[in-house]
Amino acid sequence: NVETYASHCGTPQLPLNHKYSDIKHLKKRWNMGKNPEPGVEDFYERHWPHFVQWWQGDDAHAIHFGMHVKGVHSFLESLHYMNYYAGKLLGLTEEKSWVILDAGCGVGGPSTQLAKRFPKSTFIGITITRNQIPLAQDLARREGVTKNTQFLLRNYRHSEFPDNYFDGAFAQESHNYAQNKVEFVREMYRIIKPGSRLVILDGFIRDKPLTPLSKKVLDIWRPARGFPDLISLTDLKLMLENNGFEDVVVEDLTKTILPSVARSTCLGPYFFTASVIKRFFLGKKYKAEMDDCFYMGAVVIGDMLGLAKIIHFGSVAAVKPKH
């Protein structure tokens, strides 16, 4: 339950003025080779300070929605519970000694909290955003879980792990950033063991035809969120089944994240207006993908898409067969 989970995980504390929260540090580029998906790295390096400021980033280390269910009493608890829910779908227990992949680990919040809740298991987080690695490692040190966590700079479409290596894998609001989602699914199938589960928690497009207007609005919103595209839960289920997974279970969790959506909605209008003004005065010189106001204001567009029932939030759990 929520109370048991919270008592094990506690609330990670990283002060707002911590050196990794400094925007100048985040804009540095480390000489670690060419990133195959630089747009995603740029997106998260540019906007992490906003998560720190508006999303309790230095408390929860969460770059995802919170899950509001019975027993959750605060926004911070909702962020923690979403991590716990991923572990629940994976089938984690305190008795098991599993090795779990966090595919797109962000700044380490989910893996660190799950590692504290399930100390016998090991959690390996991978990300293509260089500056997220020291944040995650620092959090693991602070929370005393360095022995059962590891954070690596790798691409989840080409992870370089051996076949049948993990006892399970989860992607928490990260799979949408994959340039090729079929490659992502195939890679997850390759590296998890037979009988293991893949869990995905993310936003999806609904199974309904798009009007020209809704498609245009969607195409404006996606770059602000850093998404190359969106697929539906139905399409993802079919993709998983076509690539070997079975027992695919999908669930619509939209209602549980509405308080998180409302929180972002309160922040959006000011930034949305600022981005519109910039576009008006700069004309063709305006580059939305480089404007922080466009990103912060885009939540207004996302809310419009949600209200119009064009996008929603859900979970997918699938099993790699034993045979």
Side-chain angles (χ1 to χ4, degrees), residues 106-120:
V107 294
S111 283
T112 300
Q113 291 176 22
L114 290 173
K116 199 167 184 178
R117 176 68 176 83
F118 304 104
K120 290 185 178 180

Side-chain angles (χ1 to χ4, degrees), residues 21-291:
S21 296
D22 188 87
I23 190 168
K24 292 181 180 179
H25 176 82
L26 293 174
K27 287 185 175 179
K28 288 181 180 178
R29 290 293 181 273
W30 294 0
N31 184 22
M32 300 180 68
K34 184 178 179 181
N35 186 340
E37 297 178 276
V40 178
E41 179 181 26
D42 290 343
F43 174 82
Y44 274 109
E45 287 192 352
R46 185 180 304 117
H47 298 309
W48 171 242
H50 297 311
F51 284 106
V52 170
Q53 186 174 6
W54 303 109
W55 215 247
Q56 294 189 239
D58 273 345
D59 292 329
H61 287 77
I63 310 178
H64 58 76
F65 284 117
M67 192 170 178
H68 298 259
V69 296
K70 185 177 180 180
V72 170
H73 304 293
S74 69
F75 176 62
L76 190 59
E77 286 183 7
S78 76
L79 297 173
H80 289 169
Y81 188 80
M82 185 67 84
N83 300 331
Y84 166 73
Y85 193 72
K88 180 180 178 181
L89 292 178
L90 284 167
L92 296 177
T93 68
E94 293 182 12
E95 292 73 32
K96 295 175 180 176
S97 299
W98 282 357
V99 179
I100 301 295
L101 175 69
D102 183 352
C105 64
V107 294
S111 283
T112 300
Q113 291 176 22
L114 290 173
K116 199 167 184 178
R117 176 68 176 83
F118 304 104
K120 290 185 178 180
S121 290
T122 298
F123 297 84
I124 299 178
I126 61 174
T127 176
I128 59 173
T129 303
R130 294 161 174 78
N131 287 317
Q132 289 180 343
I133 298 294
L135 276 167
Q137 292 171 336
D138 187 78
L139 177 62
R141 284 193 296 269
R142 286 171 168 266
E143 293 302 304
V145 292
T146 54
K147 291 183 178 180
N148 64 323
T149 59
Q150 188 177 11
F151 299 99
L152 304 172
L153 186 68
R154 297 195 184 187
N155 189 311
Y156 58 32
R157 294 191 292 123
H158 311 286
S159 69
E160 302 177 14
F161 290 109
D163 294 352
N164 306 316
Y165 186 77
F166 292 97
D167 298 291
F170 70 100
Q172 194 161 317
E173 293 189 39
S174 60
H175 116 285
N176 271 335
Y177 296 102
Q179 295 290 335
N180 187 316
K181 292 178 174 55
V182 174
E183 286 184 354
F184 166 77
V185 167
R186 289 175 178 171
E187 181 70 353
M188 294 300 105
Y189 186 88
R190 181 185 71 80
I191 63 178
I192 68 173
K193 297 175 182 178
S196 298
R197 294 181 185 177
L198 168 65
V199 169
I200 298 171
L201 294 150
D202 220 324
F204 299 90
I205 193 168
R206 290 187 183 272
D207 291 308
K208 59 185 295 186
L210 292 176
T211 66
L213 177 60
S214 60
K215 185 179 184 304
K216 186 173 183 178
V217 173
L218 189 66
D219 287 342
I220 293 173
W221 175 73
R222 281 190 301 100
R225 294 291 295 121
F227 299 150
D229 61 8
L230 282 179
I231 63 174
S232 69
L233 277 169
T234 301
D235 286 342
L236 179 57
K237 182 176 185 293
L238 184 62
M239 185 185 298
L240 290 164
E241 292 170 342
N242 287 344
N243 287 278
F245 285 97
E246 62 183 20
D247 298 330
V248 182
V249 178
V250 302
E251 184 179 6
D252 190 323
L253 301 175
T254 305
K255 290 183 179 180
T256 70
I257 69 162
L258 289 180
S260 289
V261 173
R263 181 186 182 90
S264 64
T265 302
C266 294
L267 305 174
Y270 169 81
F271 295 99
F272 181 75
T273 303
S275 66
V276 171
I277 293 173
K278 287 182 181 181
R279 180 183 290 273
F280 176 78
F281 281 103
L282 295 177
K284 293 182 179 180
K285 294 182 179 180
Y286 178 75
K287 294 183 179 180
E289 68 276 9
M290 301 301 295
D291 182 15

